[in-house]
DNA sequence: CTGAAAGCGCTTACAG
DNA sequence: CTGAAAGCGCTTACAG
């Protein structure tokens, strides 16, 4: 069943390609890697020989000789969230064609798990890292700095230090959501949030800034719980908020799944949306455009973040420096029936 | 920025651990891998030295010397589908603690992409493969057989040959869904399906078998389109089916997202569910239990498939053979308001 | 522009 | 139970 014991893989090697094409192994290595210093006719001969033998370089040997692996590690806080799936897909699309393996670490919004993933993955000498956000444990930060592995931060923009970031301003997005409700004439605006990861808290800041400017901020209308975000939780929190504050006329949800749960719950309770309560969600998940009523939401550039972050990492690897260190990809308010 | 040029990684090596613990490198290697033939006191000494130096084996060197990588490749047809995300997560949970890297290939329901992923990933000499279903291109099949890399097939059960499979009977699940609608007294039962991958077609077979047995099969009530499954598509197909066949009183959807779209559309059109049309979905996506009305659905063991498939692969790698070659994990009908 | 030599950091295969 | 030697298949660093 499982071959064991043999030292070789049985696949053609560089040396065999060299023999067949009548050059030295190192020339084959250079020709195949596209190193400029090889004569065009030799390159052609080598490529023909490689094709004939079906040669593919052994990644382990390459990694060992060059002290560089071919893997990039992506650390995300959740996979169930659906959010990061689009991002991951885009990352794969950019990195795979460059021959890089993508290793995914899901730390489930747990800093200790993230730290342990960093520790373990760093042992594989990844070429680069794609991290979510800027906040992590001190130990994790130290390991990252010590490793000197190039990295790009996704989803947030950098405020103070010089990290390479690809994302958008979570705070501005929260601000935009609240401004929209204000412009719709809402005055008793609530905020329902779960998970409470750094990005959710940034959205909360933006929300407060907008309401504060309008002189309408009321902390009692904020319902923030640390549990994972879900449809069920959204329904529950909606009921709670309305039971406590019957005059609430608008709600910003930190994630669409909470808003979906609230829309279902509102229908069950006979609360009219948007007439009695207007709703704005976040992330514009696929279902949002189809809900009854259709959910107004902040569309976030999830795929673009993955694509650009991967590209930014490639730029770092290619030594193209970090001219445009931070890339703000923005967001878009999708106005629909719920507000 | 990016270190280039240095041959070494700068990390502690086996040789340094050997020096510190006063034994030979090979003994360190054996002690750390848990090979039985090392004296307990030496093992302790070696482990202490390794811990002191912060030694972690270089995976590339290990892979090169042993002609075996530490990676397992998982090929799935979709990432956006949310279905496979749970499965992937479970696979990670089983394989990572064993020191295996999980490489994900998303072939987007495209046999040509799958073939190319197989070609490329096989070059990395993965320890094992986790594949979705049993159907693929001839070229892909040949490469897989030639590679002799152990593999496990997920989501479907094997009918004829001797593949190791972990999943459930898609056909029986389709049969169960149709039987349920029949038992609810429905007589004009439609089938709405998209994507039309092999598993969807197996569900269709089960659906037809049930209706055929009841003498109620009417091919005109089957609406099957090759486009990707989505909420929007579900709404459209539902409208179409009802426009053509106003007497339809029950519908089985090959995937929950189609049913979600239909429920939203029914509400917009004023079609009452389940009074006028009963609905049954498939996969029991998170939203299904919360829709208005709550959607009856076939719950499939997505996480369990990942967990057990990964375990089955480990068994193959450990040479534990394939005693229980096929594992049927079953499914469950979640009865709710929509039927 | 091309190559001979050495080496990356492990494990295999063989002794003892 | 332990080890000296050789080798895995590449690339680096140095010549020419």
């Amino acid at each position: 069943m499982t071959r064991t014991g043999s030292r070789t893989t049985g696949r053609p090697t560089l040396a065999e390609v060299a023999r067949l094409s009548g050059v030295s192994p190192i020339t084959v290595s250079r020709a195949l890697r596209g190193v400029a210093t090889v004569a065009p006719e030799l390159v052609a001969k080598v490529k023909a020989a490689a094709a004939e033998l079906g040669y593919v370089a052994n990644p382990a040997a390459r990694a060992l000789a060059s002290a560089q692996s071919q893997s990039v590690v992506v650390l995300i806080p959740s996979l169930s969230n659906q959010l990061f799936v689009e991002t991951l897909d885009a990352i794969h699309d950019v990195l795979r064609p460059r021959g890089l393996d993508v290793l995914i670490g899901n730390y489930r919004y747990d800093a200790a798990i993230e730290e342990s993933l960093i520790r373990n993955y760093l042992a594989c000498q990844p070429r680069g890292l794609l991290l979510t956000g800027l906040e992590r444990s001190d130990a994790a930060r130290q390991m990252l700095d010590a490793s000197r592995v190039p990295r790009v931060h996704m989803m947030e923009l950098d405020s103070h230090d010089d990290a390479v970031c690809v994302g958008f301003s979570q705070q501005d997005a929260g601000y935009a959501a609240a401004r929209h409700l204000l412009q719709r004439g809402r005055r008793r605006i609530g905020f329902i949030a779960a998970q409470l990861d750094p990005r959710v808290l940034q959205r909360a800041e933006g929300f407060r800034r907008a309401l504060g400017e309008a002189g309408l901020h009321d902390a009692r209308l904020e319902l923030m719980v640390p549990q994972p975000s879900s449809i069920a939780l959204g329904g529950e929190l909606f009921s709670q908020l309305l039971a406590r504050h019957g005059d609430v006329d608008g709600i910003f949800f930190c994630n669409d799944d909470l808003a979906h749960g609230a829309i279902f719950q509102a229908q069950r309770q006979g609360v009219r949306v948007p007439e009695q309560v207007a709703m704005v969600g976040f992330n514009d998940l696929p279902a949002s455009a189809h809900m009854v009523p259709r959910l107004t939401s902040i569309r976030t550039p999830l795929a673009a973040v993955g694509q650009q972050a991967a590209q930014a990492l490639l730029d770092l690897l290619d030594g193209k420096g970090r001219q445009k260190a931070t890339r703000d990809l923005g967001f878009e308010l999708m106005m629909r029936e719920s507000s």
Side-chain angles (χ1 to χ4, degrees), chain A residues 63-100:
Chain A
L64 182 59
S66 65
Q68 281 195 323
S69 76
Q70 294 301 316
S71 59
V72 166
V73 171
V74 186
L75 260 30
I76 53 171
S78 168
L79 216 47
S80 60
N81 209 316
Q82 188 161 34
L83 292 183
F84 295 95
V85 172
E86 273 193 64
T87 310
L88 279 180
D89 220 19
I91 290 169
H92 269 96
D93 288 346
V94 174
L95 263 24
R96 284 286 308 160
R98 287 274 304 238
L100 293 167

Side-chain angles (χ1 to χ4, degrees), chain A residues 137-202:
Chain A
S137 76
D138 288 338
R141 225 183 294 252
Q142 280 166 19
M143 288 188 285
L144 290 169
D145 288 342
S147 76
R148 319 257 306 114
V149 175
R151 61 180 188 265
V152 173
H153 300 259
M154 304 185 291
M155 299 302 166
E156 297 177 38
L157 300 181
D158 196 11
S159 37
H160 34 294
D161 67 356
D162 60 345
V164 177
C165 293
V166 176
F168 58 94
S169 167
Q170 302 275 347
Q171 187 181 134
D172 288 355
Y175 181 85
R179 282 296 308 160
H180 169 72
L181 286 169
L182 287 166
Q183 279 161 0
R184 287 301 197 181
R186 306 299 160 147
R187 289 293 171 264
R188 295 291 290 160
I189 302 176
F191 178 55
I192 288 183
Q195 194 61 62
L196 308 188
D197 64 78
R199 289 163 295 289
V200 167
L201 298 180
Q202 289 161 33

Side-chain angles (χ1 to χ4, degrees), chain A residues 14 22 27 34 98 115 126 131 174 181 213 236 268 294 300 313:
Chain A
L14 242 202
T27 298
R98 287 274 304 238
E115 188 179 311
L131 303 172
L181 286 169
E213 286 174 5
E236 288 166 30
R268 290 206 164 81
R294 303 181 197 279
T300 52
L313 184 62

